[in-house]
Amino acid sequence: LRQISDEFIDEKGVSAMLPPGTLVVARVVKLASGGANALPSLSLKRSDVEGGTMRKRLTFEALHAGRAVTGFVRKVVDFGVFVRLHGGGEGKGAERLDALCHSSEASDSKLTDLAATFKAGDVVRGVILKTDAEKRRISLSLKPSRLRELAGSDDEEEEEAESEEEAEAADGEEADGSDSGESAGEESDEEDEDEEDEGEDEDEEEEMD
């Protein structure tokens, strides 16, 4: 079940989501072993099959404040929302990445009843606030304003990069212009020399006549 979708899904939901005859795109995550009738393990998760390449597993060490992440709601309690991040380890012995969004970071407006807004299985997007390596804890914010701030900082970086590229391109055009100016000057000098030579040839012809 955990390889069917990035979202939470139960056994009853599988038959509704994947009726017999459904065409699917899957990725082999483990080769068959254990006999002639053994079958390979497949993943239908969008995060595994999208983009044409297998994405690297997200590790706790890769998380940092300000990083945008996605996941699904595992549980809603009075003081916050527990979210399991997409891309973490799965299976026996693997480290799952579970984050806690405190009630104060669940929305830009005050929520008196978190359970009315968030349900188990909901896919959410948030921003990492901090991590505690010793306790392996992850603090998450689901405030849309934090995502907008993050998107705004990315846009500013892109604009700065574009400005630098434009400046470099302008410098290159100026250099080309100066080169072409020099070339034009050289061509003009050559034309003047040719005209002088032609004038001298005409003078010589007249003298011979």
Side-chain angles (χ1 to χ4, degrees):
L1 285 176
R2 64 174 177 269
Q3 297 290 357
I4 291 177
S5 174
D6 286 313
E7 304 176 18
F8 175 80
I9 186 170
D10 56 21
E11 294 181 8
K12 295 180 181 179
V14 174
S15 58
M17 180 180 178
L18 299 169
T22 301
L23 182 65
V24 298
V25 177
R27 184 175 295 280
V28 176
V29 295
K30 187 178 181 181
L31 295 176
S33 61
N37 296 324
L39 298 174
S41 297
L42 303 178
S43 174
L44 304 183
K45 293 164 60 175
R46 182 185 294 273
S47 59
D48 282 342
V49 301
E50 199 171 49
T53 57
M54 190 73 171
R55 297 182 180 179
K56 292 182 179 180
R57 289 294 178 195
L58 182 64
T59 63
F60 184 92
E61 289 69 25
L63 299 175
H64 57 80
R67 174 166 182 164
V69 292
T70 59
F72 66 88
V73 175
R74 288 187 58 245
K75 185 169 62 173
V76 181
V77 293
D78 291 339
F79 58 85
V81 181
F82 287 92
V83 177
R84 176 157 295 169
L85 304 185
H86 289 158
E90 295 177 350
K92 188 176 180 180
E95 182 181 24
R96 293 183 175 90
L97 300 177
D98 290 329
L100 171 62
C101 173
H102 191 269
S103 57
S104 62
E105 287 289 337
S107 174
D108 288 318
S109 57
K110 186 176 181 179
L111 299 178
T112 55
D113 186 6
L114 291 176
T117 303
F118 299 97
K119 304 293 183 184
D122 287 351
V123 176
V124 294
R125 182 173 173 80
V127 178
I128 300 293
L129 294 178
K130 63 180 179 179
T131 59
D132 186 331
E134 184 177 350
K135 297 180 179 179
R136 312 299 281 183
R137 290 179 179 174
I138 305 166
S139 296
L140 182 70
S141 175
L142 298 178
K143 287 184 174 181
S145 59
R146 290 193 182 274
L147 284 168
R148 287 195 296 269
E149 288 174 5
L150 189 62
S153 63
D154 290 341
D155 291 340
E156 288 177 2
E157 290 178 0
E158 289 180 1
E159 288 177 1
E160 288 178 1
E162 289 177 358
S163 297
E164 290 178 359
E165 290 178 359
E166 290 175 357
E168 291 177 358
D171 291 341
E173 289 177 358
E174 288 179 2
D176 292 340
S178 61
D179 290 343
S180 60
E182 291 176 0
S183 298
E186 291 175 357
E187 290 177 358
S188 177
D189 292 340
E190 290 177 357
E191 289 177 357
D192 291 340
E193 290 178 358
D194 291 339
E195 290 178 356
E196 289 178 359
D197 291 339
E198 289 177 359
E200 291 177 356
D201 292 340
E202 289 177 357
D203 294 338
E204 287 179 358
E205 290 178 359
E206 289 178 357
E207 289 177 359
M208 290 178 65
D209 293 338

